[in-house]
Amino acid sequence: MSRKDRDHFNLLCDIGELAALVTGSHNIETFMDSAVRLVSRHLKADVCSIYLYDESAEELILRATIGLNPKAVGRIRMKPGEGLVGATFENLHPIRESAAGRNPLFKYFEEAGEERFESFLAVPIQRGVQRIGVLVVQHETADYFSERDVMALKASASQLAGAVENARLLMDLYEATGTRPEVQAPASLQFIRGQSASEGIAQGPITFFKKSHVAFLSGDAHRKENFTVEDFHEAVRQTSRQLADLQSRLAERLPESASLIFTAHFMILKDPKFIDRIVHQIAEGVSPPEAVKNVARHYINVFASSSHAYIREKVSDMEDLAGRILKNLFRRGAEKQENEKGKIVVAAELYPSEILKMASEEVQGVILVKGGITSHVSILARSLKIPLVIADHPHLMHLPEETPVLLDANVGNIYIRPDQEILLQFAGQEAAGKIAAASPSTVCRITQTGDGTRVRLLANINLLSELSTAKELNAEGIGLYRTEFPFIIRPTFPSEEEQYLVYKHLFDEMADREVTIRTLDIAGDKALVYANATSGKNPDLGLRSIRFSLRNRPLFEQQLRAILRAGAEARHLRIMFPMISSLDEFRDARSVVDACVRDLKREDLPHHPGPSIGMMVEVPSVVEIMPALAREADFFSIGTNDFIQYTLAVDRTNEKVADYYRAYHPAVLRGLARVVRAAKTAGREIAVCGEMGHETAYIPFLLGIGIRILSVGPQFLPALRERIAGLTLAEAERHARLLLAEDTLAGALKVLETPTSG
């Protein structure tokens, strides 16, 4: 691959350039125009056009073009399957023609003025399973576009998909009315015991997630104030600047490109219909705040009535955006916007993207008022170092705004209006913690038992920001990189190039250490709102993890290609499949890796030629076929969370049955022992990467059955080293034998609670 070609390809995949398109455009039309100009310039094409699908009309409509007659925008329409554009959309496959006019599918539109353009290339614009439209380039020279141009245009379409989809949703909204209920009067509390989901101590006034925005949309505050249309425009400008600042700060904190989380906000702000409707109402005598509320309610009701879950999700985007505009309007001239910085946020439920917004606004802590822990919200909070407590106590939602709270997320305690004695007590603890953190400490690189048995400690990584901690605490490598976070923190599927940048950062940071990347593991507790395929009455037993990847092979290939390309120079690249339940499934998944390696070699793109391929042990069906799997898999890692859940038929996030989720159940312990024995017999590496791996009570058992590799959150490494150093292998093996001999839960618990050395 020539340097020119590589520069050409990489330039198309520049996330910063895409972000600039979103934030820098004055309105939706200028965004679309800028997008076609960008693609046209990079591919050196005479024409670039975007066709978007109108679901109500069931037509593809030309929405932006450079090179064709601009008067054709909005006038050229085709049904799916009609013309080369319609065929591209219907078949979801690129079409490249050296002389487009000779193709019998070609449809001529006189108003387009495209008769002189010979070469034609079209690719679908698709966001996961959602069809959005078609991206087209044309050139006067025959046979102008190459296979590399096909790849580049597909990358561009993937990059643009999320922003283009948001633009499409805003182009043809119909009038709707509706109101939001006002928040009820608050009550008072003194102390609540909850469940810790992300450790830490936080202190500050509380605020309610969405509450202030909903109140702005439904309340009568500021009714008597006089506002002008210029006040409204200035509020919009301030809102845009504030969002750009939030996006910039979030990009620094999260290299996973989650900064594009505010794309929907920007698209709404740039929608002339949104602005014009408000201005029109103001011109008719409606006060600016009421005009904003009226138009926002219209959008909210349109989004809420959609049959698509990912569109319904935009209700919160609209509430958030309208609330920000109204806050700025009411503060006329005050550039600094009040946000959640320094506050404790109380919420009924949260999506991962909402935790990210809170991180960008520097909240002190979060209280979730709902039973059961949503694991990936908790994991994300831990990664971002945001203290989080789950408290199934609805009265918390009735506290007054700004009520002072002290959150002890280390144990799950919530102190409402804490007195001076409690504040002084925790101030002392915090000071002691800072002194301990600042004290120099020796972190051993080598971990071993008291009698010299070597144990390797690796780190589980959720976000790239955790890599520095893993290295500081001398993790010997990354035993599990959870790739779903770049998926669940974005409003759409990340493209191959977006994933490539994330994985490249990972490999660059851990250049001299082993890295194991797990392919996409979406499930019931980490579902993608924009992927309807993962829904169902029981998502944990549905189309999740490797099943989803194999069913959606183009997405699977994009991820694998990104991993292979990013790890081109890695010394220790390992790819691991989640939720494998059969040998056939493992073979199918591995064959996709092999196909991606062949394709990358044919395309002359730098890539890793032979990664180690392994699998997660999470499904009980694997226990009986471990010898066969061990002959073909290069390594194994036990995900104890799901292994326990599926073995015992217990939803670990359901508070009503949480007591049945017991890692010391004899069936769980014996299943783990059989799995480890089969892997060891075949000479395969086997690790534990689930929560049992950092629970010190289970360390003697795990070492006793033969585990020598543990992969845990970086924060658990020091405690694990200390626990392992206090054990001998003989003690661990004896402990494991005693546990495996027990047939009852009571008997196993008694053995588990019997002290061992350390």
Side-chain angles (χ1 to χ4, degrees), residues 202-246:
Q203 178 187 346
I206 64 169
T207 187
F208 294 91
F209 182 66
K210 297 183 183 176
K211 176 181 176 182
S212 58
H213 291 177
V214 174
F216 271 124
L217 289 173
S218 60
D220 295 327
H222 308 274
R223 173 181 287 179
K224 296 180 181 180
E225 293 189 38
N226 294 319
F227 297 93
T228 67
V229 70
E230 180 52 39
D231 291 330
F232 163 69
H233 285 302
E234 177 57 26
V236 170
R237 288 190 290 268
Q238 286 191 24
T239 301
S240 184
R241 288 193 293 268
Q242 290 157 358
L243 287 171
D245 178 61
L246 284 175

Side-chain angles (χ1 to χ4, degrees), residues 307-351:
S307 60
H308 298 293
Y310 71 91
I311 296 179
R312 293 195 299 273
E313 276 302 298
K314 297 188 184 301
V315 167
S316 62
D317 288 327
M318 188 69 252
E319 288 178 343
D320 184 58
L321 178 62
R324 291 175 187 275
I325 293 172
L326 289 169
K327 282 183 179 180
N328 283 318
L329 184 60
F330 296 150
R331 289 181 178 83
R332 283 180 289 194
E335 178 65 27
K336 185 177 180 181
Q337 172 163 338
E338 179 183 341
N339 54 34
E340 280 73 41
K341 182 176 181 179
K343 294 186 178 181
I344 307 293
V345 175
V346 181
E349 58 183 344
L350 290 173
Y351 288 103

Side-chain angles (χ1 to χ4, degrees), residues 141-155:
T141 305
D143 201 19
Y144 179 78
F145 299 113
S146 66
E147 277 294 330
R148 203 168 298 284
D149 291 314
V150 176
M151 293 165 51
L153 194 62
K154 286 173 64 179

Side-chain angles (χ1 to χ4, degrees), residues 84 94-106 117-122 137-139 141-146 150:
L84 294 175
I95 291 181
R96 177 167 63 102
E97 289 292 333
S98 58
R102 298 199 199 108
N103 189 307
L105 289 176
F106 180 77
F117 302 113
E118 290 284 330
S119 293
F120 176 96
L121 172 59
V137 288
Q138 295 171 262
H139 201 279
T141 305
D143 201 19
Y144 179 78
F145 299 113
S146 66
V150 176

Side-chain angles (χ1 to χ4, degrees), residues 463-483:
L463 297 172
L464 297 178
S465 57
E466 296 175 282
L467 290 173
S468 59
T469 303
K471 290 196 292 185
E472 287 170 8
L473 295 175
N474 273 333
E476 297 181 51
I478 304 302
L480 170 63
Y481 176 69
R482 295 181 170 101
T483 60

